[in-house]
Amino acid sequence: MSDVQLLPAVREFLASPKRLFIGGQWQDAAKGRHFAVENPATAQTICQVADGDEADVDAAVAAARAAFEGPWRWETPARRGYLLFRLAELIDAHAEELAQLITLENGKPIANARGEAASAANIIRYFAGWPTKIEGSTVPVSPASGAPMLNYTLREPVGVCALIVPWNFPLTMCVWKLGPALATGCTAVLKPAEQTPLVAVRLVQLIEQAGFPAGVVNLLTGFGMRTGAPLAAHADVDKIAFTGSTQVGRLIAQAATGNMKKVSLELGGKSPNIILPDADIARAAKGAADGIFYNQGQVCTAASRLYVHEKVLDQVLDELRRHAAAHVIGSGLNSSTTLGPLVSERQLGMVSGYLQRGVEEGAELICGGKRPEHLEHGHFIEPSVFLDRAERACVAREEIFGPVLTVMSWSDVDELAQRANDSPYGLAAGLWTNDLRAAHRLAAQLKAGSVWINCWNVVDPASPFGGYKQSGWGREMSKHVIDAYTETKSVFVDLA
């Protein structure tokens, strides 16, 4: 039984219709279809949600275009900032409600979901400060004619943005993209993952309550092929921002070529985490365990490859066994739970398949590897640790997106960075050491968008986030993301 009682507001929300939001109106999908949203802890249906398709995409994009070319385009920066601040306040005021919805549809422990809701408010609050700070410049040009010339630049919103977000952080990923889109004066069509649409619906209700004009934010719930694909290819979308798998990211990039829309992609990872022999081993092992088991390993930056110096390998493995065994597996609505279910039966099947293949390919299973016997329903899997001395098994090479850690030993520091970089991905990397010189030398060698030293998964809206190689294009958050949602216009004025 769950000891976290659902709020009356959550029960009321679950009982209400979950429609699309287009042009300031909540409406059914054009074909009247719905799909079921499942609680991954029980494998039972929570409620039904509108299932949009290409006709709904056309309507949502048209509404976003009308808003962009209409009142929103000329809204003052101060007003845009105020509306974002208002939204942050509403997220704070409804934080527990949002957290419970996250746990219901995603499965993560309620403590983690509460952290996600608090983070979402902080991210929106950060971007609320940006509208009045987006500036152009004057440029001292030297025309060949010698005539006096004034040249200045303008930073203008790119236009209609398609925002396609994943299921692992269903609220955070929405605001990572909505924050800069709205701050810069763009309009948006938001498409949440079909596994986790509920918190997006509730967020858009709060956006409506905050007072954003009709059409500025539109919501499409539905599946990738029927809703996401036509949205990505739509000729009247100016920019697409996508977070998800590298495989789907390639399809997004291909779809964008029709009208050469701007694209930003935050994709997969197989992140290396390195323990040097001088590190605080207890702290490093805990950091390694947290880096892979947090959010059931369903994190693009999951610390799934652990390189441990051979002198401390046995000690680290003992610590990892202890941390894995200490996890309380169960429903996220139990306050004692530290490891919830995977998001879906499909995800459970994929992770289970990797566990089996890892053993078949010669990796040594140190702990875990099976479903918990005391949980008959839901998509649960034990936290698992492999030792792969050859570093050739699939569990050491491929993104699993589950609580599965693969440990490799090392002895030659000169080869270490090369081994860590031997991956098509480059989203994150980390290292644990008390040697300041070694820390900075390795950080410079690691090919990753984020490098964490004696920590893991530290993010902040003021700091850029993104990947090298096949982990994506562009950066989320910070001043760097403003470029992704704006165009720079150069204006010349002949003063002769």
Side-chain angles (χ1 to χ4, degrees):
M1 296 292 291
S2 300
D3 61 6
V4 176
Q5 299 301 311
L6 294 182
L7 295 172
V10 172
R11 296 184 183 279
E12 181 180 348
F13 173 81
L14 294 176
S16 66
K18 315 297 181 304
R19 298 187 173 101
L20 311 178
F21 189 65
I22 299 175
Q25 300 294 321
W26 293 97
Q27 57 193 64
D28 292 329
K31 293 183 179 177
R33 289 192 299 237
H34 297 82
F35 66 94
V37 179
E38 180 188 85
N39 180 345
T42 62
Q44 295 178 345
T45 296
I46 303 171
C47 61
Q48 299 286 324
V49 176
D51 186 1
D53 64 9
E54 191 167 357
D56 302 299
V57 170
D58 288 341
V61 172
R65 175 61 62 190
F68 179 73
E69 302 296 348
W72 187 244
R73 185 175 182 86
W74 308 110
E75 191 61 86
T76 65
R79 176 65 178 172
R80 294 202 306 272
Y82 167 79
L83 291 173
L84 284 165
F85 271 118
R86 175 66 179 140
L87 176 58
E89 291 173 349
L90 287 169
I91 292 173
D92 274 335
H94 296 270
E96 180 64 15
E97 180 183 343
L98 294 167
Q100 290 186 7
L101 289 173
I102 291 169
T103 294
L104 277 172
E105 62 182 346
N106 170 276
K108 68 180 60 181
I110 188 65
N112 294 351
R114 288 167 178 156
E116 184 171 345
S119 174
N122 287 336
I123 291 164
I124 291 295
R125 195 170 288 113
Y126 170 81
F127 282 110
W130 264 107
T132 56
K133 321 243 176 356
I134 300 171
E135 301 173 339
S137 62
T138 57
V139 183
V141 295
S142 303
S145 66
M149 196 76 65
L150 170 66
N151 176 234
Y152 63 90
T153 62
L154 300 172
R155 297 285 295 278
E156 299 181 340
V158 68
V160 175
C161 300
L163 312 178
I164 302 179
V165 300
W167 46 259
N168 56 337
F169 292 94
L171 179 58
T172 300
M173 293 296 100
C174 287
V175 299
W176 271 29
K177 291 172 171 51
L178 282 169
L182 299 177
T184 54
C186 296
T187 57
V189 179
L190 177 66
K191 160 58 174 78
E194 60 267 22
Q195 297 90 342
T196 56
L198 299 182
V199 76
V201 174
R202 189 67 187 102
L203 174 65
V204 172
Q205 290 177 350
L206 297 180
I207 289 171
E208 181 185 24
Q209 185 178 341
F212 285 85
V216 171
V217 177
N218 304 273
L219 175 69
L220 296 173
T221 52
F223 291 80
M225 291 304 297
R226 283 202 301 266
T227 309
L231 180 60
H234 203 286
D236 206 25
V237 168
D238 300 301
K239 177 199 166 48
I240 184 163
F242 170 77
T243 296
S245 71
T246 297
Q247 179 183 6
V248 176
R250 291 191 185 97
L251 298 175
I252 295 286
Q254 292 168 6
T257 61
N259 66 338
M260 297 302 292
K261 58 175 64 69
K262 293 172 73 103
V263 178
S264 55
L265 302 170
E266 197 264 282
L267 307 175
K270 189 68 176 176
S271 300
N273 196 9
I274 297 167
I275 298 180
L276 276 66
D278 69 287
D280 179 332
I281 299 304
R283 180 184 176 194
K286 184 180 186 307
D290 291 345
I292 185 61
F293 300 144
Y294 171 67
N295 208 47
Q296 296 69 249
Q298 298 170 137
V299 185
C300 54
T301 56
S304 54
R305 288 189 291 151
L306 181 63
Y307 292 90
V308 182
H309 193 277
E310 59 184 14
K311 290 182 179 180
V312 295
L313 178 61
D314 289 341
Q315 183 181 353
V316 169
L317 290 176
D318 287 341
E319 289 286 317
L320 291 172
R321 288 188 190 94
R322 183 173 65 83
H323 286 296
H327 272 290
V328 178
I329 306 173
S331 167
L333 291 176
N334 290 328
S335 57
S336 61
T337 292
T338 61
L339 197 79
L342 299 177
V343 74
S344 66
E345 184 177 1
R346 179 176 181 270
Q347 193 66 20
L348 176 63
M350 290 176 61
V351 174
S352 299
Y354 271 110
L355 290 168
Q356 181 177 345
R357 284 177 57 200
V359 173
E360 292 171 351
E361 294 176 8
E364 178 186 351
L365 185 62
I366 301 299
C367 64
K370 59 184 185 298
R371 299 187 64 176
E373 295 179 357
H374 67 287
L375 295 169
E376 297 180 4
H377 306 288
H379 312 311
F380 297 95
I381 197 78
E382 293 177 339
S384 306
V385 178
F386 282 99
L387 175 63
D388 184 8
R389 297 184 185 277
E391 201 174 342
R392 293 175 183 167
C394 62
V395 292
R397 311 297 301 173
E398 300 174 24
E399 184 176 37
I400 300 173
F401 230 61
V404 182
L405 174 64
T406 304
V407 180
M408 284 76 64
S409 64
W410 65 274
S411 58
D412 186 345
V413 71
D414 293 329
E415 295 180 355
L416 182 57
Q418 181 180 352
R419 290 173 62 187
N421 291 332
D422 184 18
S423 169
Y425 302 110
L427 190 57
L431 56 106
W432 301 80
T433 180
N434 288 313
D435 184 336
L436 188 63
R437 180 174 175 272
H440 288 295
R441 284 176 64 87
L442 272 171
Q445 292 175 281
L446 294 169
K447 296 178 181 179
S450 295
V451 177
W452 293 298
I453 300 173
N454 294 330
C455 58
W456 194 271
N457 254 348
V458 179
V459 295
D460 188 279
S463 182
F465 180 90
Y468 287 25
K469 299 185 279 186
Q470 294 183 35
S471 286
W473 293 346
R475 293 296 179 266
E476 303 267 17
M477 301 194 292
S478 81
K479 65 181 181 181
H480 296 273
V481 77
I482 300 301
D483 291 338
Y485 291 87
T486 56
E487 298 279 16
T488 299
K489 177 183 289 181
S490 178
V491 179
F492 283 88
V493 181
D494 190 338
L495 300 179

